[in-house]
C-alpha cells in the first residue's frame, strides 16, 4: 500500500522524505501516529496539546540544563509523538540537555536544519493529510459504486453485494436469520476455510433482525480496511434485504390476485395480469398445488417451491393462499411430471406436504381447469398419503382414477355416513359370523360382475358365490342387477379402502 494511502501519518514519514532534511538524534517509537504539527516556545506547553503532536521548538524559552529536563518531561506527560528541534544558526547543534532528556523519556528527537522553516513542516503535514483524506474518499466512493453496481448486476441482489464484499475483503461472508439459517452467502476465492467468525447485527426492515457473518482464519482479527468495507456495505445490505422482502410480498399479493382471478373466471383481468408477468395468455399452462399438513409450514413451503422451480425460468408464478401454495408454469414443452418432480421438493418440509399437478391446457380457461385438477389431486394425495399413481411425493391428475378424485372432493363425515349405511350391515355380519361377505362383494364388483371369474379368484364354487351375494343383497337392501346399486357399493368400498379400514 502506498504511504499516502495509509490512514495516518507516522513519525517515520517525516524522516523518510529527504526533501525536509531532517536528522534523527534520539530514536524513539517511529511508528507513533502524528495528529498535528505544533510550534511552541513555552516551557510547559502541556495545557495546549492533546497527544500525538509533532512538537517544533527552537529553545527560545532558554534551553538551560535544568529547564531542558522540565520541558521534555512536560512533553512526555502530554503524550506527544516527537520533538523537532530547529537550528537557528548553521553551526549550532541540539543542546545536550535536550538530548539527554529525550533519551530518558524515550522521546524521538529530530534535528531540523536552518533551510527547513517550521512552516514547511506544517504545510507538508497538512498537504499529506489532505492527500490521505482524498485517497480515502476516492476509495470509499469507488467501493460504494462497486457495491451499488453489484446489486443490479448478475447474480444481483443480496448475493451480488455479498459477492462484492467477499471479493473486497478476501473473506467468506453470509447473512443469516434469527434462527441461524443462511439467507445468502459468498465464499472468498482462494482463501482457507474460516476458523472463527465476526458478526454484525442488521435490520431486516420489518422489525426482525439478521446478522452479517464474516469468516476469519484462525487467530486473525479483521483488518481495518476489511472492517471499513464491511461497515460500508452494511446499509446497502439492509436496504437490499428490506427491498427484496417488500418485493416478495408485492409479488405474493399480485400472484394471489392472479390465481383468484383465474379461478373466478375474470378472464380479461387474468389475461392482462398474465401479460404483465411476461406470459402469453393464450399459451399452454400446467397448474399445480402444494398442500402442507400444517398451516405453520406454509411460508417454508412457499420458499422451497420458489427455489425448486427457479431453474424453469421466468415463466413460473408462485402464489400462497390461506392453506396451500399454488403454482402454474407456462409449459415451453414441459410435462406435468417434470413440474411435479421439481415441486415435489416441498414434500419434506415441516411435517410433510402433498403435491397435486394438473394436465396441460391452453388459455386462461384451460389454466383454470388445470388448477382445479391440481387441487383435486393434492386433496386426494392428502387423503390417501401415497395414492395409486403418485411418484416422488406428487400426484398428476390424469394418472389417478376418476372415482378417487370424486372421493377426494367429498366431505369425510358425509362419506363415513354413506359407507356405514351401505356396508355397516355386511361388516357387522362378518364380525359375528367370521365370514367375508364384504370381501366377496368387493371381488365381484372389481371383476366387473363376472361370476365365474370371481368364483375362481376366491377358490369357491359359483353356487357358493351366488349364495353369498344373495345374502349381501339381503343385508344391504341393494340389488346387484342394478347399475346404480353396483356403483354405490363400489364407491363405498373404495372409500373404505381410502380410510385404511380394510381388514388385514
Amino acid at each position: 500500500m502506498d504511504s499516502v494511502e495509509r490512514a495516518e501519518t507516522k513519525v517515520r514519514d517525516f524522516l523518510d522524505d529527504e526533501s525536509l532534511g531532517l536528522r534523527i538524534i534520539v530514536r524513539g517509537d517511529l511508528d507513533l501516529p502524528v495528529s498535528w504539527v505544533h510550534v511552541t516556545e513555552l516551557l510547559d506547553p502541556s495545557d495546549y496539546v492533546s497527544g500525538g503532536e509533532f512538537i517544533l521548538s527552537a529553545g527560545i524559552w532558554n534551553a538551560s540544563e535544568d529547564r531542558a529536563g522540565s520541558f521534555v518531561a512536560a512533553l512526555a506527560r502530554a503524550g506527544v509523538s516527537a520533538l523537532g528541534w530547529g537550528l537557528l544558526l548553521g553551526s549550532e547543534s541540539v543542546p545536550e540537555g535536550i538530548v539527554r532528556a529525550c533519551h530518558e523519556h524515550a522521546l524521538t528527537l529530530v534535528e531540523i536544519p536552518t533551510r527547513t522553516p517550521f512552516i514547511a513542516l506544517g504545510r507538508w503535514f497538512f498537504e499529506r493529510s489532505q492527500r490521505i483524506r482524498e485517497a480515502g474518499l476516492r476509495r470509499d466512493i469507488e467501493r460504494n459504486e462497486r457495491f451499488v453496481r453489484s446489486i443490479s448486476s448478475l447474480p444481483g441482489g443480496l448475493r451480488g453485494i455479498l459477492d462484492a464484499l467477499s471479493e473486497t475483503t478476501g473473506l467468506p461472508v453470509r447473512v443469516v436469520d434469527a434462527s441461524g439459517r443462511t439467507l445468502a452467502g459468498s465464499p472468498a476465492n482462494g482463501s482457507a476455510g474460516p476458523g472463527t467468525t465476526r458478526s454484525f447485527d442488521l435490520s431486516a426492515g420489518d422489525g426482525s433482525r439478521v446478522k452479517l457473518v464474516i469468516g476469519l482464519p484462525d487467530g486473525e482479527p479483521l483488518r481495518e480496511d476489511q472492517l471499513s468495507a464491511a461497515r460500508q456495505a452494511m446499509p446497502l445490505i439492509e436496504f437490499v434485504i428490506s427491498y427484496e422482502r417488500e418485493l416478495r410480498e408485492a409479488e405474493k399479493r399480485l400472484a394471489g390476485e392472479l390465481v383468484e382471478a383465474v379461478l373466478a373466471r375474470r378472464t380479461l383481468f387474468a389475461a392482462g395480469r398474465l401479460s404483465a408477468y411476461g406470459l402469453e395468455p393464450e399459451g399452454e399452462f400446467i397448474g399445480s398445488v402444494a398442500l402442507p399438513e400444517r398451516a405453520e409450514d406454509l411460508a417454508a413451503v412457499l420458499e422451497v417451491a420458489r427455489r425448486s422451480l427457479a431453474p424453469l425460468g421466468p415463466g413460473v408464478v408462485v402464489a400462497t393462499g390461506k392453506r396451500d401454495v399454488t403454482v402454474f408454469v407456462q409449459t415451453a414443452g414441459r410435462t406435468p411430471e417434470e413440474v411435479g418432480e421439481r415441486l415435489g421438493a416441498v414434500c419434506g418440509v415441516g411435517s410433510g406436504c402433498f403435491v397435486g399437478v394438473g394436465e396441460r391446457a391452453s388459455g386462461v380457461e384451460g389454466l383454470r381447469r388445470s388448477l382445479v385438477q391440481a387441487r383435486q389431486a393434492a386433496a386426494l394425495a392428502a387423503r390417501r398419503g401415497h395414492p395409486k399413481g403418485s411418484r416422488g411425493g406428487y400426484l398428476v391428475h390424469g394418472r389417478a382414477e376418476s372415482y378417487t378424485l370424486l372421493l377426494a372432493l367429498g366431505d369425510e363425515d358425509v362419506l363415513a355416513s354413506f359407507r356405514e349405511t351401505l356396508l355397516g350391515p355386511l361388516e357387522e355380519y362378518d364380525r359375528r359370523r367370521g365370514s367375508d361377505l364384504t370381501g366377496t362383494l368387493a371381488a365381484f364388483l372389481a371383476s366387473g360382475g363376472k361370476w365365474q371369474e370371481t368364483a375362481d379368484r376366491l377358490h369357491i364354487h359359483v353356487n357358493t358365490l351366488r349364495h353369498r351375494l344373495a345374502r349381501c343383497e339381503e343385508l344391504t337392501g341393494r340389488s346387484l342387477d342394478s347399475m346404480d346399486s353396483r356403483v354405490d357399493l363400489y364407491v363405498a368400498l373404495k372409500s373404505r379402502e381410502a380410510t385404511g379400514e380394510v381388514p388385514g
Side-chain angles (χ1 to χ4, degrees), residues 251 277 279 305-306 309-318 327-330 334:
E251 180 184 350
Y277 270 95
L279 304 178
R306 282 195 174 116
L309 293 168
L312 297 183
V316 179
V317 175
V318 182
V327 178
F328 59 82
V329 179
Q330 188 120 69
R334 306 187 190 282

Side-chain angles (χ1 to χ4, degrees), residues 187-207:
N189 295 327
S191 70
T196 58
T197 62
R198 180 165 177 184
S199 61
F200 303 86
D201 284 329
L202 300 176
S203 169
D206 61 347

